[in-house]
Amino acid sequence: MKQESPIKRRPSRQIMIGDVPVGGDAPIAVQSMTNTNTCDVEATVAQIRSLEEAGADIVRVSVPSMDAAEAFGKIRAQSGVPLVADIHFDHKIALRVAELGVDCLRINPGNIGREDRVSAVISAARDRNIPIRIGVNAGSLGKELLRKYSEPTAEALVESAMRHIDILDRHDFQDFKVSLKASEVFMTVAAYRQIAGQIEQPLHLGITEAGGFRSGTVKSSVGLGLLLMDGIGDTIRVSLAADPVQEIKVGYDILKSLRLRSRGINFIACPSCSRQNFDVIQTMNDLEVRLEDVNTSLDVAIIGCIVNGPGEAKVADLGLTGGSPKNLFYAGGRPDQKLDNANLTDDLERLIREEVARRKAQEAAVIARSDQ
């Protein structure tokens, strides 16, 4: 079922985070954040590489001290993916990582301090073509805003962001993106919807402190899904109290479900019932683990019986319909061969990998012809 996404993206100014375009007509970028001690260069580099292998376009790294800034320079030299330095309070840390090759500065101009310190950071960013991310969180709103609104609200988030944006505007600095995050879905969605029509810069989406793997995935899917359906969002981060690699996987799953980006296999699988002719749940669990390394976009239907199986298999790239005594495998929407339950998972993995290899060979042939 190859229906194109009906979503119309919000027009936005495009900025560059390293070699990754953000905003404009660029694909929505998926990012995560390291949770290692930044001063542990080896561990942080290893985690960044794991995130890159999972498909991360951008990785954020917390830089809370000058020692961490020096470590960041070593990390940056060993990383192939663009890095955002997360900095609060001390403007000298921002200046140092700018010298060390940071790809983006995540700051809160309101907690950097005096105007001359903010000006110094902006000047360094301008001189080195480094974009800035303004990050506003419900949990760290200024005291003045909390007195005005009594508690965090969507309006307070937007006003905080606009105050920070005003600082950049006064310095004629426009290469920035903005995030307005809360752990509460309605507040976050309302804040992004309000600011989307007020600025032209790209928006980084996230539900902050969303929770553990299961609850955080659900909350993020609902919140980000509502905004993405509105065409709002140029980068996303799924914040989970879990392995950061899972944030990348869930982020791509959200985008795949809305046909906004494709990476890896999109499985269509039934929840199983007493009509199933093979163990759907175990088969799916095994295939997801075995095929984690596949980056080629592919729709694969795994359906346990003949009620919905043939219909789903005919519109997928590859499909399996449960049957007795054997299951029917489809390729390109047509019945291709019958598969026995005894070696079902092995056979499916082999057939899927053969299709991936065929597509890669086709792509390589097209590239070779275009280079001639």
Side-chain angles (χ1 to χ4, degrees), residues 65-195:
S65 66
M66 271 300 177
D67 287 342
E70 297 304 321
F72 179 87
K74 298 174 184 177
I75 293 163
R76 183 69 201 89
Q78 300 177 58
S79 300
V81 66
L83 300 184
V84 179
D86 191 84
I87 296 163
H88 294 276
F89 307 114
D90 190 345
H91 77 293
K92 292 180 181 178
I93 298 175
L95 297 178
R96 182 57 180 148
V97 295
E99 293 173 351
L100 294 170
V102 71
D103 297 291
C104 180
L105 291 167
R106 191 278 193 186
I107 64 170
N108 181 334
N111 71 26
I112 290 294
R114 299 193 311 259
E115 183 83 12
D116 61 320
R117 295 175 180 174
V118 177
S119 179
V121 174
I122 295 171
S123 294
R126 179 184 288 108
D127 292 345
R128 294 174 172 82
N129 293 316
I130 301 169
I132 289 173
R133 172 183 155 195
I134 294 174
V136 176
N137 275 36
S140 57
L141 287 171
K143 294 180 180 178
E144 182 184 346
L145 286 170
L146 289 176
R147 284 195 297 268
K148 178 178 180 179
Y149 291 96
S150 300
E151 61 182 9
T153 65
E155 290 74 20
L157 290 173
V158 173
E159 184 170 337
S160 178
M162 294 306 294
R163 289 183 181 188
H164 301 332
I165 290 168
D166 183 59
I167 296 172
L168 299 184
D169 283 343
R170 292 202 304 272
H171 289 81
D172 194 27
F173 188 91
Q174 299 302 317
D175 287 340
F176 62 89
K177 58 178 179 174
V178 179
S179 65
L180 308 91
K181 297 183 179 182
S183 59
E184 208 277 330
V185 169
F186 294 116
M187 186 190 307
T188 303
V189 171
Y192 277 108
R193 284 174 172 168
Q194 287 178 34
I195 204 168

Side-chain angles (χ1 to χ4, degrees), residues 277-278 290 325-327 339-347:
N277 294 107
F278 62 91
R290 292 189 186 194
K326 292 189 175 183
N327 309 295
L339 301 179
D340 191 271
N341 279 0
N343 301 303
L344 185 59
T345 305
D346 290 341
D347 288 338

Side-chain angles (χ1 to χ4, degrees), residues 192-213:
Y192 277 108
R193 284 174 172 168
Q194 287 178 34
I195 204 168
Q198 298 183 42
I199 63 172
E200 65 172 3
Q201 277 73 20
L203 296 173
H204 168 76
L205 303 187
I207 306 295
T208 194
E209 293 117 20
F213 179 69

